[in-house]
Amino acid sequence: GQNIDQPTEMTATEGAIVQINCTYQTSGFNGLFWYQQHAGEAPTFLSYNVLDGLEEKGRFSSFLSRSKGYSYLLLKELQMKDSASYLCAVLDSNYQLIWGAGTKLIIKP
Amino acid sequence: ETGVTQTPRHLVMGMTNKKSLKCEQHLGHNAMYWYKQSAKKPLELMFVYSLEERVENNSVPSRFSPECPNSSHLFLHLHTLQPEDSALYLCASSLGGDNSPLHFGNGTRLTVT
């Protein structure tokens, strides 16, 4: 079967750095997405990785290792507004999106 | 403003009721989706429409009936639902390319009593 694993919940301190991991076992791979979802709101697109390496977008970076079936989302200089759920999703060989259950990130002052 | 608008935001219905969820996108996208989101579970794809034609139905019970009258509007008609159908129902749209990001609406929080 196909599977995406993410930690259920993480806690971090304002101003710090946090890394949210995502591991996947899918039938094929055509890219990996990260989305952010604030409570009661729509998920919003953060990043897309299809090649190995690190992609940086301001305070957020996303890393991919296809050989390890692994990605992480790195959030720097954490702000209270970063408290949200972070969803990892993989496009399999049929271009179907396989979703993780999401990681709830709690930021403390 | 997400560009994808869903109504209503909240809905409480009995198991014998019939109701409809509405989704409208203002992004000029070609594909529209219905997802079900339950607490601590991955998003479940229910239906996909591309250029107003249904291209995927992930074995969803017939008590859920989608309708896509044009590329900007999507409905989900509900009838004789079960309490386990209580969830957040998310509409999304995309340009339709294989790796196009999804743009989601804020969802309808459905409670079946």
Side-chain angles (χ1 to χ4, degrees):
Chain A
Q2 308 205 84
N3 193 49
I4 308 284
D5 285 315
Q6 317 178 224
T8 303
E9 188 173 299
M10 299 181 70
T11 302
T13 304
E14 190 177 15
I17 298 173
V18 72
Q19 178 175 310
I20 302 175
N21 295 327
C22 171
T23 57
Y24 60 89
Q25 301 89 37
T26 56
S27 54
F29 178 84
N30 280 300
L32 184 145
F33 292 88
W34 284 98
Y35 286 82
Q36 179 191 60
Q37 185 178 22
H38 287 100
E41 296 184 14
T44 55
F45 168 74
L46 288 178
S47 66
Y48 171 73
N49 294 65
V50 67
L51 299 176
D52 290 349
L54 185 68
E55 302 238 353
E56 298 186 64
K57 267 189 196 179
R59 293 189 300 115
F60 291 12
S61 302
S62 56
F63 171 83
L64 175 67
S65 169
R66 287 172 296 173
S67 62
K68 296 182 179 177
Y70 168 68
S71 173
Y72 66 73
L73 184 67
L74 190 72
L75 290 73
K76 301 178 184 176
E77 301 167 19
L78 285 170
Q79 302 175 9
M80 297 304 293
K81 67 179 181 180
D82 298 329
S83 292
S85 289
Y86 292 85
L87 312 180
C88 174
V90 171
L91 268 175
D92 70 7
S93 57
N94 294 320
Y95 291 91
Q96 303 296 309
L97 258 183
I98 311 301
W99 292 86
T103 298
K104 182 178 180 181
L105 178 64
I106 299 168
I107 309 298
K108 295 187 174 180
Chain B
E1 176 58 56
T2 65
V4 179
T5 305
Q6 288 187 245
T7 55
R9 288 298 306 273
H10 300 273
L11 178 63
V12 178
M13 60 186 288
M15 288 189 283
T16 58
N17 290 158
K18 288 185 181 181
K19 296 285 184 183
S20 296
L21 309 185
K22 179 181 176 182
C23 177
E24 185 174 357
Q25 60 99 358
H26 311 277
L27 301 169
H29 287 168
N30 295 321
M32 296 188 79
Y33 309 76
W34 281 116
Y35 277 93
K36 177 182 179 182
Q37 187 174 37
S38 303
K40 299 185 180 180
K41 289 186 177 180
L43 286 175
E44 298 175 45
L45 178 64
M46 299 177 73
F47 301 103
V48 181
Y49 278 82
S50 178
L51 298 173
E52 302 151 47
E53 289 197 17
R54 190 192 303 179
V55 296
E56 186 158 350
N57 171 358
N58 275 2
S59 302
V60 177
S62 60
R63 57 186 184 269
F64 295 91
S65 174
E67 178 189 0
C68 187
N70 55 60
S71 59
S72 298
H73 294 85
L74 186 65
F75 296 90
L76 188 62
H77 304 299
L78 317 171
H79 65 98
T80 59
L81 294 191
Q82 305 298 309
E84 60 265 28
D85 297 322
S86 298
L88 181 68
Y89 287 84
L90 290 166
C91 173
S93 69
S94 75
L95 283 171
D98 291 324
N99 60 355
S100 300
L102 297 173
H103 294 253
F104 287 89
N106 283 332
T108 294
R109 173 66 62 186
L110 174 67
T111 303
V112 182
T113 60

